[in-house]
Amino acid sequence: MNNSINSAADAATFSSTTPKIFGIPILLFAVIALVMVTAMYTGTLPTGMIGALLVMMVLGELLGFLGDRLPIIKSYLGGGAILSIFGAAALVYAGALPQGIIDNVTSFMKGGGFLNFYIAALITGSILGMDSKILVKVGTRFALPLLAAVAFACLFAVIVGWIMGFSPQDAVVVITLPIMGGGMGAGAVPMSQIYEQLLGQPASYYISILVPALALGNVFAIIIAGLLNGLSNRIPSLSGNGQMMPGVEIDEKSTPVDISKLGIGLVLALTFFTAGQILGSVIPLHPYALMIVLVAVVKIANLMPEFANDAASHWFKFVAKNWTFALLFGIGIAYTDLGQVIDAISITYVMIVFAVVAGAAFGAGLLGKLVGFYPVESAITAGLCMANMGGTGDVAVLSAAKRMQLMPFAQISSRLGGALILLISSLVVPLLFA
């Protein structure tokens, strides 16, 4: 009896300490990968959703696992998110994947609607899952620093671009807006589709330009965060040492995912996405932007029952937890041309990206001071957390700034700021390229 108990305890200990990929022990994950690879190269991998999703999840999680552990990539370049994208693009570029696999994943991402499926969950769940007080009270207070971050990022980018002979329109549309857009899933990916609709080039063309801007922007955001921490030590009056302003605290509720609510959250996400499509047929804005406005109005007006808000939030958490690396791998296959990415990198490009991030921090700090925030904390949350790679970038930036307690404010910036950029893109791009 005791031996059985001890054996069970030993097994549990082994299970908890064994390295895992996607929550699966490495040996079992290797068996899964072997089955997939065998099917890939013998031409027996199922087509459609089954084959595409298996390849995307297995290879995406593997690259994500590696990216989150490689020192420089983990600390400065966005970790697993960026490696999932570029790793997939590199496999295509090197001819390492069979053409049938590439075609199937591309079809699933585009024609199969997996990208829209993910974005619907992201937008609906992230907004409905927020406390309405954050949206109304703190969100409105954050509006000026967020808008100032965008305005100064654009201004700095245009000035540097003009000095170096770069088109002002391209400096804003191709570099500034995607950097300020809240990462890949909520920013660059839907933005590339907006650009495709408004400007005519395929989404893959824009993704190839937007992705390196996000990666470089993430690097500079982390570096500037560390510099701001040093500045706060030299000039204490500029900082609240991790407090945004006197007497203001935000507690985000964190609840475990409820399986019984996942189906409800799925239906809500699909419904709001469809409603955005309906509005898009009569209003000259991109359906993503209209969907964001619709969800925000429903949340602020308290039109959705609380159980439905929770369901949407739980579905979003499920999708983000299980399919983010898969989606990013699919983006690398279907939307990222590594040759175009390599061609896009130049000294001018790097300088403009730095100007964007520096401008965002400056504008957010300046206007944050006017609304009662400490300048350093405002620059970090409303500025740098707008210019990083979303959730993973928030962690990296706040770690570099030694202000992890600001995560709720960073999330406001990533969520509301990313939605704001999609709205701005829908309105501004047609004017700049009219």
Side-chain angles (χ1 to χ4, degrees), residues 59-434:
L59 294 182
E61 290 293 336
L62 176 60
L63 291 170
F65 175 84
L66 295 174
D68 285 339
R69 286 158 181 79
L70 293 174
I72 295 176
I73 293 177
K74 175 184 70 174
S75 301
Y76 299 106
L77 297 177
I82 208 69
L83 191 63
S84 295
I85 298 168
F86 282 118
L91 289 174
V92 174
Y93 189 71
L97 292 177
Q99 188 60 45
I101 301 299
I102 297 172
D103 293 342
N104 191 40
V105 170
T106 301
S107 176
F108 180 61
M109 286 290 294
K110 295 181 178 180
F114 183 66
L115 181 59
N116 290 334
F117 183 79
Y118 181 96
I119 292 172
L122 182 83
I123 293 174
T124 304
S126 63
I127 296 178
L128 291 183
M130 292 180 70
D131 189 331
S132 59
K133 293 179 181 178
I134 293 177
L135 274 172
V136 177
K137 294 182 180 180
V138 180
T140 53
R141 184 178 291 272
F142 245 62
L144 276 179
L146 286 176
L147 289 171
V150 176
F152 277 87
C154 292
L155 177 62
F156 280 32
V158 168
I159 291 173
V160 172
W162 175 74
I163 292 172
M164 305 191 75
F166 197 83
S167 162
Q169 292 97 324
D170 288 339
V172 171
V173 172
V174 178
I175 299 179
T176 306
L177 293 182
I179 289 176
M180 303 297 290
M184 283 298 305
V189 174
M191 192 176 296
S192 69
Q193 295 195 321
I194 292 174
Y195 287 179
E196 180 181 50
Q197 177 178 314
L198 297 176
L199 302 179
Q201 294 281 0
S204 58
Y205 169 80
Y206 299 109
I207 279 285
S208 298
I209 300 174
L210 305 186
V211 167
L214 263 68
L216 286 172
N218 198 61
V219 173
F220 289 133
I222 295 167
I223 293 171
I224 293 174
L227 294 175
L228 286 175
N229 180 56
L231 178 65
S232 69
N233 294 330
R234 290 180 174 273
I235 311 177
S237 62
L238 295 178
S239 171
N241 293 318
Q243 274 196 333
M244 286 297 299
M245 61 184 299
V248 173
E249 294 182 3
I250 296 178
D251 294 322
E252 282 196 338
K253 62 180 183 179
S254 179
T255 58
V257 173
D258 185 345
I259 294 177
S260 66
K261 294 181 178 178
L262 294 181
I264 299 172
L266 166 61
V267 171
L268 288 173
L270 299 181
T271 301
F272 275 109
F273 183 86
T274 302
Q277 299 294 314
I278 295 171
L279 292 174
S281 67
V282 295
I283 300 174
L285 290 175
H286 194 278
Y288 286 157
L290 295 169
M291 178 185 176
I292 291 166
V293 173
L294 178 61
V295 177
V297 168
V298 168
K299 179 64 179 180
I300 292 170
N302 291 319
L303 299 177
M304 191 68 68
E306 191 60 29
F307 82 89
N309 291 332
D310 288 341
S313 177
H314 290 185
W315 173 244
F316 158 62
K317 291 176 182 177
F318 175 85
V319 170
K321 171 68 175 177
N322 291 286
W323 289 329
T324 294
F325 284 140
L327 176 83
L328 296 177
F329 185 86
I331 289 169
I333 295 289
Y335 291 96
T336 310
D337 185 327
L338 192 58
Q340 289 183 349
V341 170
I342 293 171
D343 292 340
I345 301 296
S346 65
I347 295 297
T348 299
Y349 191 90
V350 172
M351 291 298 296
I352 295 174
V353 170
F354 176 78
V356 169
V357 180
F362 179 81
L366 180 66
L367 268 292
K369 174 69 173 176
L370 296 181
V371 299
F373 293 143
Y374 291 108
V376 167
E377 278 71 18
S378 183
I380 291 169
T381 54
L384 298 181
C385 289
M386 277 272 284
N388 61 25
M389 287 281 291
T392 57
D394 289 343
V395 173
V397 164
L398 296 182
S399 296
K402 295 180 171 56
R403 285 166 169 78
M404 287 302 294
Q405 66 268 39
L406 293 177
M407 183 57 75
F409 292 95
Q411 288 295 297
I412 294 171
S413 184
S414 294
R415 293 176 183 181
L416 297 185
L420 173 66
I421 292 299
L422 289 181
L423 287 171
I424 291 174
S425 298
S426 295
L427 295 171
V428 170
V429 171
L431 298 177
L432 291 178
F433 289 90

